Amino acid sequence: SIEMTAKDVAHLEAAANIIPLGTKIAVTFLPGEDFPMRVATARRVKELGFLPIPHISARRLTSREEFEDFLRQIQSEVGTDHAFVVAGDPAQPMGPYEDALAIIQTGLLAEYGIQRVGISGYPEGHADIGSEKLWQAKRDKRTALLDRGHDFAIVTQFGFEAEPILKWLEQVRSQGID
């Protein structure tokens, strides 16, 4: 998979002929990029023959209406059934959503055709979130996603050493998260 920002469209177009068709390409939800830019980027990803996976940053959403409008545009202009949901970097939510679980619990992802949801993994931990809280969040998100009929994947950043990731995979399985 590849991750890109809305500002990377020209780079994707230049590299498109060396990227296998159907490659999953995540479109990030960064500050300084607005919803029309994110939607246009996801649309271009699809036009080039790849699978767009729009990010949804819970703490960056200012309202339910903004969230629904984004989902509506993603469906009408892109038509993807994938999304990646994260809490996001702001320390305080800019609207009603504290974290990825809050987004999942709205039921709006399913309502707008999102079938496969990516959630964050953190195989090497997170500087601001304790280990038990991370594991509980994974268990809670798994339950909420399955209860709403979603397929899901735990997505991680790359790593430079295999051992921490292999150990983390054992922990994921021991937690009953499949």
Side-chain angles (χ1 to χ4, degrees):
S1 66
I2 298 172
E3 183 174 294
M4 65 179 288
T5 73
K7 297 172 186 164
D8 294 326
V9 172
H11 293 93
L12 178 64
E13 290 170 341
N17 65 339
I18 61 171
I19 301 170
L21 292 177
T23 294
K24 294 176 181 177
I25 300 184
V27 179
T28 59
F29 200 104
L30 296 178
E33 297 179 352
D34 61 22
F35 288 100
M37 290 171 70
R38 294 178 189 119
V39 171
T41 301
R43 183 177 54 243
R44 188 64 182 134
V45 166
K46 188 167 185 176
E47 289 168 352
L48 290 168
F50 309 118
L51 176 62
I53 304 176
H55 280 205
I56 300 170
S57 177
R59 292 184 190 148
R60 291 193 191 284
L61 292 167
T62 61
S63 68
R64 180 182 174 102
E65 293 76 25
E66 182 179 62
F67 179 32
E68 281 198 78
D69 189 49
F70 180 60
L71 290 172
R72 190 177 302 107
Q73 288 179 38
I74 285 294
Q75 286 315 314
S76 67
E77 296 187 35
V78 182
T80 187
D81 63 353
H82 284 59
F84 179 67
V85 182
V86 295
D89 294 331
Q92 297 299 316
M94 298 166 65
Y97 306 111
E98 174 69 28
D99 54 24
L101 182 60
I103 291 292
I104 295 163
Q105 290 174 329
T106 67
L108 291 172
L109 296 170
E111 186 177 322
Y112 284 91
I114 301 299
Q115 296 174 8
R116 184 165 178 86
V117 179
I119 58 174
S120 51
Y122 304 111
E124 296 180 285
H126 189 290
D128 298 327
I129 306 170
S131 178
E132 182 48 40
K133 188 173 181 179
L134 282 175
W135 285 111
Q136 188 61 53
K138 269 188 258 322
R139 290 188 296 267
D140 292 346
K141 287 183 269 189
R142 175 194 179 274
T143 299
L145 287 163
L146 294 177
D147 286 351
R148 287 158 181 80
H150 292 289
D151 185 16
F152 76 99
I154 300 174
V155 180
T156 69
Q157 296 287 357
F158 63 89
F160 293 103
E161 295 183 34
E163 191 58 37
I165 295 170
L166 295 172
K167 183 178 177 183
W168 176 79
L169 284 171
E170 289 175 10
Q171 291 175 305
V172 168
R173 292 176 182 136
S174 75
Q175 294 282 328
I177 301 170
D178 55 357

